[in-house]
Amino acid sequence: MLQKVANFIQDQCLILPGDKVIVGLSGGADSVALLHILKELRGQLKLELFAAHINHCIRGQEAINDAVFAEDLCKSWNIPFFLKIADIPELSRRLNLTEEEAGRQVRYDFFYEVMDKVKGNRIATAHHKNDQAETILHNIIRGTGIQGLSGIKPIRDGCIIRPLLVVTREEILDYIKMHSLSYREDATNADLTYTRNRIRNRLIPILTREYNPDIIERLYIMGNIIREEDEFLTDYCSKVYRELCTLESGQIIMHLNKFNACHGAVQKRLVRLAVSKLRGDLDGVGYDHIDAVVTLARRSRTGTRTLVPASGKGCPVIVAEVIYDKLIFRKNNDETPVEYYDELLPVPGQVRLEKLGLIVTAEKWDRKKSLHFSSQCIYIDEDAVKGSLRLRQRVKGDRFKPLGMNGSKKLKDYFIDMKIPRDERDRIPLLVDEENIIWVVGLQLNQDYRITGSTKNILKISIEYQRDNGG
């Protein structure tokens, strides 16, 4: 078995010469065997070895005895030992997690803490073939996709390694017996309250006895096959994602037609990628959420949207919406609508629209000076202005005469033609006088206020953005 594990480590590139490896040592047979194997391979693999143990405060004196055993074992084998005591029952209540979830979170946080302390680069856990089979069955029972069917990876996140995945629990117990190794029994492993224990102690024995005596090996091989195919799909979809997506102002924007041309399986992976990049993870994101985004994109109705929910870990709600030829993903910041504004613009003078992060300045302009039109600066015929200048928000029924047109146009239709998202329209101020819209700020000038050869007096209107206001 020692050579079998050594070959697996080499084939999977789990440990390289000079690596510092932290072993999660519970004191049970699996982790004791793992620590012993790595100790035996220490010279061959040129690694440094450390052990980390957590007292979960679940089993009273038995848990204390486990910690004493683990520490004594490491002293006898000359392996640096680290201990953490964590009240998992209290933590699970406080975080609204199961004890299994809370314990796992604390364990890995502690392993990373130890890795940082010793400047390590590998965390080794004692998962084996039976664990692989249990994980795959557990995922099937809960409902899963191709990633869940692939089970436990030999290496995860570039540093968490599972050197024993190539051996069964029976092989580990034979190894323990051959080397006369002591270990601790965890009574909670027989507690059928836990789903995983019921799978281990009830379901797998039935499957082995009545359906397939080689079920552990079959599930292990299936996991390997599916994981290989999943890795190919992940790599392929990452390339497609880079071709289809851009990141603009914190939003992920996909080309809608190209997205809809992709196979449905690829579409779902692209959505998962976009959501995970904005959220940080996919915790709490299910098939229905992903499918709702795909359905939204296929219908391609501009202005429609769906929400991907937040998670218990603080990940934000994600909004997926179709805006013309784009599928847009953004965090839902729950911005309140911009309050209606209507501000006098003195000439000369300026007005600050604080909620828009905008300063608008009006000044008289010498006709002899050159004119530099841009999206942030216009020049108008002062004599065409009727009364005072104001800056206001759009209102229902607004019309104006875009530059180059003879007749007027509904402002709403103009926004639609310009593909301005509905949520952004209230954030676009209008420069008006007492009768007309003079400038859709940053976008379009009114034909009747343009500079002509007969213009005598000129006003320069310019804007300055003070911050990124998201609109």
Side-chain angles (χ1 to χ4, degrees), residues 168-406:
T168 64
R169 169 75 170 172
E170 289 71 26
E171 288 177 283
I172 289 171
L173 292 176
D174 288 343
Y175 182 88
I176 288 280
K177 185 176 180 180
M178 180 187 303
H179 293 276
S180 302
L181 301 175
S182 300
Y183 62 91
R184 298 284 296 173
E185 292 279 7
D186 185 347
T188 62
N189 287 335
D191 185 352
L192 298 182
T193 302
Y194 301 109
T195 303
R196 184 174 284 275
N197 287 349
R198 294 198 299 276
I199 293 171
R200 178 185 305 130
N201 299 317
R202 285 184 176 175
L203 180 57
I204 288 180
I206 290 173
L207 292 174
T208 302
R209 184 174 62 251
E210 300 184 15
Y211 295 92
N212 187 345
D214 203 24
I215 188 67
I216 299 295
E217 185 68 19
R218 293 303 100 196
L219 288 172
Y220 171 76
I221 291 172
M222 183 193 79
N224 288 344
I225 292 170
I226 293 176
R227 183 168 54 256
E228 194 172 54
E229 293 178 357
D230 179 50
E231 288 170 355
F232 167 78
L233 279 172
T234 298
D235 183 59
Y236 172 77
C237 290
S238 294
K239 292 176 182 176
V240 175
Y241 180 89
R242 290 192 293 271
E243 293 171 2
L244 263 62
C245 299
T246 57
L247 180 65
E248 298 178 17
S249 301
Q251 299 181 339
I252 292 174
I253 300 175
M254 289 190 190
H255 191 287
L256 186 58
N257 290 337
K258 290 181 179 179
F259 175 86
N260 283 332
C262 294
H263 188 280
V266 175
Q267 290 176 344
K268 291 180 176 67
R269 282 180 173 256
L270 292 174
V271 172
R272 287 170 64 87
L273 266 171
V275 171
S276 65
K277 286 181 183 296
L278 287 177
R279 274 170 118 249
D281 64 29
L282 291 169
D283 183 55
V285 178
Y287 173 84
D288 289 345
H289 304 127
I290 301 300
D291 190 56
V293 178
V294 173
T295 300
L296 177 85
R298 286 174 181 167
R299 289 174 179 167
S300 302
R301 289 175 52 199
T302 193
T304 55
R305 65 175 61 181
T306 188
L307 301 179
V308 179
S311 75
K313 297 178 182 178
C315 296
V317 171
I318 301 299
V319 179
E321 57 189 334
V322 172
I323 303 294
Y324 300 104
D325 60 348
K326 299 179 178 68
L327 176 60
I328 298 175
F329 297 82
R330 61 178 174 80
K331 294 178 183 178
N332 184 15
N333 296 318
D334 291 323
E335 289 184 349
T336 55
V338 178
E339 293 180 11
Y340 183 78
Y341 51 89
D342 187 344
E343 302 284 345
L344 178 69
L345 177 61
V347 180
Q350 66 178 207
V351 63
R352 290 176 178 267
L353 300 176
E354 297 289 352
K355 292 188 176 180
L356 302 182
L358 192 66
I359 298 174
V360 183
T361 302
E363 57 185 303
K364 292 180 179 292
W365 197 253
D366 188 338
R367 186 175 175 81
K368 295 177 181 178
K369 292 183 179 179
S370 58
L371 307 180
H372 301 284
F373 285 89
S374 74
S375 62
Q376 296 187 24
C377 178
I378 62 166
Y379 302 84
I380 62 174
D381 188 330
E382 182 179 7
D383 296 321
V385 176
K386 299 159 184 72
S388 59
L389 292 176
R390 306 188 71 85
L391 284 151
R392 67 166 173 84
Q393 194 180 70
R394 65 178 179 139
V395 296
K396 187 174 181 180
D398 271 339
R399 303 182 71 92
F400 83 116
K401 186 189 289 188
L403 189 66
M405 281 187 62
N406 292 323

